Amino acid sequence: MIQMHDVTKSFDGVPVLNGVNYTLSHGEFAFLRGRSGSGKSTFLKLLYRESEREHGTILIDGTAIDALQKFELRRKMGIIFQSYELISQHTVLENVLIAGKALGRPLEEIEAEAMRLLTRVGLADKVHQFPNKLSGGQQQRVAIVRALLNKPKLLLADEPTGNLDRETAQDIMTLLYELHREEQMAMLIVTHSEELLTSGARVSVMEGGHIDE
Amino acid sequence: MNKHQWQYMFHDTKLGLKRNKGAVMASVTLLFIALCLIGQLLLVRAYITEAVHYVESQVAMKVYVEDGMAQEVAAILAEQSYTKDVNVETGAEMIASLAFFFEGRTHLLESFTDGRVPDAVKFSVKDAEMMQVIAKNLEGASGIVSVVYPQQMAQILVSWIETIELYGVLVVLLFFVVAFMMVYSTCHLAMYKRQQELKVKLLLGMNPKIVRMQFLMEGVVLGISGACIAMLTTAVSYYTVYAGIHQAVPYLGKLHTMDLVMVCSVQLVMGVFLSVLASYISTRDVIADV
């Protein structure tokens, strides 16, 4: 699903990623762990081109990411952000539907799918609320539903539990693992916390600009 | 773009305007003020145009000639070294140019048309200081009935008019720039608040063209709204203030319905252009960065 070869990225001359090689197979669930500032988020941003690499190649589902326009590339994946990135002026349902509207899917279709997923994560009664009325865990669930709406083959999660307490974080991780099994997608979760690692899942470690397995 | 994306774009535009009422009110108000000022400047300019044209046409030496001599005298004067330009004004044309001064007082104008008004040759000279000498030389020449030339005051008036016209254009341009800066600042502030919305839509794979189009459409709505209020104010001032002035001082100027239509059209086009340009520039950097 992801093939990254000899990728380099630096900021102001300081190398953050130094010849990184990484692969993620279709349907695989994996963690990328590392301390704060090790370049984990930068690694993810290169995958969806919020940042551009200086050297190396990146393939998503067999296609070089440069061969696609940014918006075409981002439609192939779901992204979950540490800060949720929910639009404060949109309701829960409106936030989720944005993902479907981006692809021009019919409204009835995406509304039905959104309600199914929101019910699955326990937020069916919150659909008309605004994000500021929800807890951190609830907001992250909305973000997860939004990322899954278009049934992507790849889900990227950047510190999805970074702003949550331990118990809620554990709930979110459990939810992500369950959804991974239900939706059969590749999932790459970036985290600095060792406690949240799911047993049996592949764990890679980012250190010194390299990834060690 | 498929039909669903068009629908979503219109829907998001409506939602964006509805949920950002403060920014909308500020933008529309600023646009209205700027367009109102520009509209009034243009109306005043149109109002005094006929009076200005008449004054300008009189700042030339006039040689009244005997019947049938106008073309011949004009040809001779055109060859003189002191002549800048020459044209013939018949008696009927002269009366027609005075007509607007006598609006509402046609009985006075009729007294002119009853009498004989000779044809005249109007010409301007290269050196205004030589006017008196040239006039003296022409008086008494064969075929010439009388010579009239503008007094110094009329020349000063024309010089003022030319200066005011130039500064008037600069003032309108300045207002345009100020209006753009005001609208741009307001749009930019509003956009700062909605950066997150823009960024999220782009990160979720929405086509940047569609995202931009939503905000441009919001700009169009703001522009039309501000322009409509300005056009309404302009029309009210046209039918009340200018009509009242014209009744009291009819020879000062006159407005035609086409002037109002032209000014309103300029306000509409400028309003839409200003707000769309401001929206475009405000969104450009955010879209490029994500």
Side-chain angles (χ1 to χ4, degrees):
Chain A
M1 191 69 219
I2 298 175
Q3 291 168 269
M4 193 183 268
H5 178 66
D6 197 26
V7 167
T8 303
K9 172 71 182 175
S10 54
F11 291 104
D12 294 331
V14 177
V16 175
L17 301 178
N18 209 351
V20 168
N21 298 293
Y22 186 79
T23 55
L24 183 74
S25 305
H26 287 273
E28 186 177 6
F29 186 93
F31 289 96
L32 179 64
R33 194 171 62 80
R35 55 182 174 77
S36 296
S38 59
K40 308 184 299 298
S41 294
T42 304
F43 172 87
L44 272 193
K45 285 179 181 175
L46 292 182
L47 291 175
Y48 60 86
R49 289 182 66 189
E50 192 180 341
S51 187
E52 299 288 349
R53 73 198 183 286
E54 286 151 9
H55 184 266
T57 55
I58 303 176
L59 303 176
I60 301 286
D61 200 15
T63 307
I65 61 172
D66 299 323
L68 299 168
Q69 301 225 39
K70 284 186 189 179
F71 71 92
E72 291 170 331
L73 171 68
R74 290 165 185 173
R75 288 178 182 185
K76 286 175 169 284
M77 55 186 74
I79 309 170
I80 302 169
F81 306 94
Q82 180 178 1
S83 54
Y84 326 132
E85 298 291 359
L86 299 179
I87 300 171
S88 56
Q89 293 178 328
H90 284 40
T91 62
V92 163
L93 185 60
E94 285 165 352
N95 266 289
V96 171
L97 292 178
I98 288 175
K101 288 178 178 180
L103 271 64
R105 294 170 61 191
L107 187 61
E108 304 79 26
E109 183 186 306
I110 54 177
E111 270 185 346
E113 180 66 10
M115 287 310 301
R116 182 185 78 79
L117 287 168
L118 285 167
T119 306
R120 168 67 184 83
V121 303
L123 290 176
D125 57 336
K126 306 279 185 198
V127 296
H128 297 301
Q129 296 224 3
F130 288 93
N132 63 352
K133 301 287 186 207
L134 306 179
S135 67
Q138 289 172 327
Q139 290 186 53
Q140 194 60 292
R141 285 168 206 259
V142 175
I144 290 169
V145 167
R146 184 180 65 189
L148 293 175
L149 188 72
N150 295 321
K151 296 189 190 301
K153 291 186 199 171
L154 171 65
L155 188 85
L156 303 173
D158 186 1
E159 303 268 14
T161 59
N163 289 343
L164 304 174
D165 60 83
R166 197 167 141 207
E167 206 175 305
T168 311
Q170 203 57 254
D171 289 342
I172 293 294
M173 289 309 303
T174 306
L175 175 64
L176 282 173
Y177 194 66
E178 286 171 3
L179 288 169
H180 153 71
R181 284 188 316 192
E182 288 166 22
E183 306 292 331
Q184 299 286 306
M185 68 187 70
M187 221 182 252
L188 174 60
I189 300 176
V190 161
T191 181
H192 65 269
S193 168
E194 279 197 50
E195 294 173 347
L196 298 172
L197 301 181
T198 307
S199 68
R202 175 178 151 219
V203 179
S204 306
V205 178
M206 174 82 77
E207 196 164 341
H210 295 281
I211 292 181
D212 300 320
E213 299 289 345
Chain B
M1 256 171 86
N2 62 28
K3 73 166 188 185
H4 300 294
Q5 284 169 319
W6 278 108
Q7 285 169 350
Y8 299 146
M9 191 188 67
F10 285 125
H11 176 261
D12 283 356
T13 299
K14 209 169 84 178
L15 207 64
L17 291 168
K18 199 172 142 189
R19 291 183 179 167
N20 290 281
K21 289 193 176 83
V24 167
M25 294 290 295
S27 299
V28 169
T29 303
L30 286 171
L31 270 167
F32 156 66
I33 292 170
L35 294 174
C36 230
L37 285 169
I38 291 171
Q40 291 306 314
L41 274 174
L42 292 173
L43 268 187
V44 166
R45 177 66 182 86
Y47 185 63
I48 61 172
T49 290
E50 286 199 33
V52 166
H53 282 160
Y54 179 77
V55 171
E56 284 174 343
S57 75
Q58 299 311 302
V59 182
M61 195 170 279
K62 258 189 181 178
V63 179
Y64 289 97
V65 298
E66 292 169 2
D67 286 350
M69 292 292 291
Q71 295 298 337
E72 201 177 318
V73 172
I76 293 169
L77 285 172
E79 287 167 7
Q80 304 307 310
S81 58
Y82 50 73
T83 303
K84 199 154 101 179
D85 52 67
V86 180
N87 61 69
V88 173
E89 183 186 61
T90 63
E93 284 168 352
M94 202 275 277
I95 291 169
S97 70
L98 285 173
F100 97 98
F101 284 117
F102 293 93
E103 267 212 29
R105 292 170 178 75
T106 47
H107 57 282
L108 291 176
L109 181 64
E110 278 161 12
S111 68
F112 274 92
T113 53
D114 285 346
R116 279 276 291 123
V117 179
D119 294 345
V121 175
K122 278 172 37 179
F123 72 103
S124 52
V125 300
K126 289 174 184 166
D127 183 357
E129 311 264 308
M130 296 295 296
M131 242 187 237
Q132 201 167 2
V133 170
I134 295 167
K136 262 204 164 64
N137 289 341
L138 287 174
E139 273 167 3
S142 170
I144 291 176
V145 173
S146 64
V147 178
V148 174
Y149 63 93
Q151 301 302 312
Q152 195 178 15
M153 195 58 210
Q155 292 179 26
I156 292 172
L157 188 60
V158 167
S159 160
W160 284 355
I161 288 170
E162 283 167 359
T163 306
I164 288 169
E165 276 193 4
L166 171 64
Y167 282 114
V169 167
L170 290 174
V171 166
V172 169
L173 281 172
L174 184 66
F175 269 132
F176 183 85
V177 169
V178 168
F180 173 73
M181 296 303 296
M182 289 194 307
V183 174
Y184 170 71
S185 299
T186 309
C187 282
H188 203 62
L189 271 170
M191 191 49 54
Y192 186 76
K193 198 180 156 198
R194 296 178 66 192
Q195 257 184 24
Q196 190 208 26
E197 178 183 343
L198 216 149
K199 186 182 167 191
V200 166
K201 286 182 172 177
L202 291 169
L203 286 174
L204 292 178
M206 197 170 276
N207 191 328
K209 285 180 188 157
I210 298 175
V211 177
R212 170 170 279 138
M213 215 181 293
Q214 178 205 328
F215 288 93
L216 290 183
M217 283 205 55
E218 289 185 25
V220 168
V221 172
L222 293 177
I224 291 176
S225 304
C228 281
I229 307 172
M231 282 156 60
L232 187 64
T233 311
T234 303
V236 166
S237 68
Y238 173 88
Y239 285 111
T240 56
V241 175
Y242 290 94
I245 293 173
H246 182 64
Q247 252 195 339
V249 194
Y251 51 81
L252 186 61
K254 190 184 178 190
L255 280 174
H256 305 280
T257 312
M258 271 314 292
D259 293 323
L260 178 64
V261 169
M262 285 280 297
V263 171
C264 288
S265 304
V266 166
Q267 286 177 316
L268 183 63
V269 167
M270 275 182 67
V272 172
F273 177 73
L274 276 177
S275 52
V276 166
L277 185 62
S279 291
Y280 176 81
I281 294 175
S282 299
T283 53
R284 185 184 52 178
D285 289 341
V286 178
I287 289 177
D289 285 345
V290 177

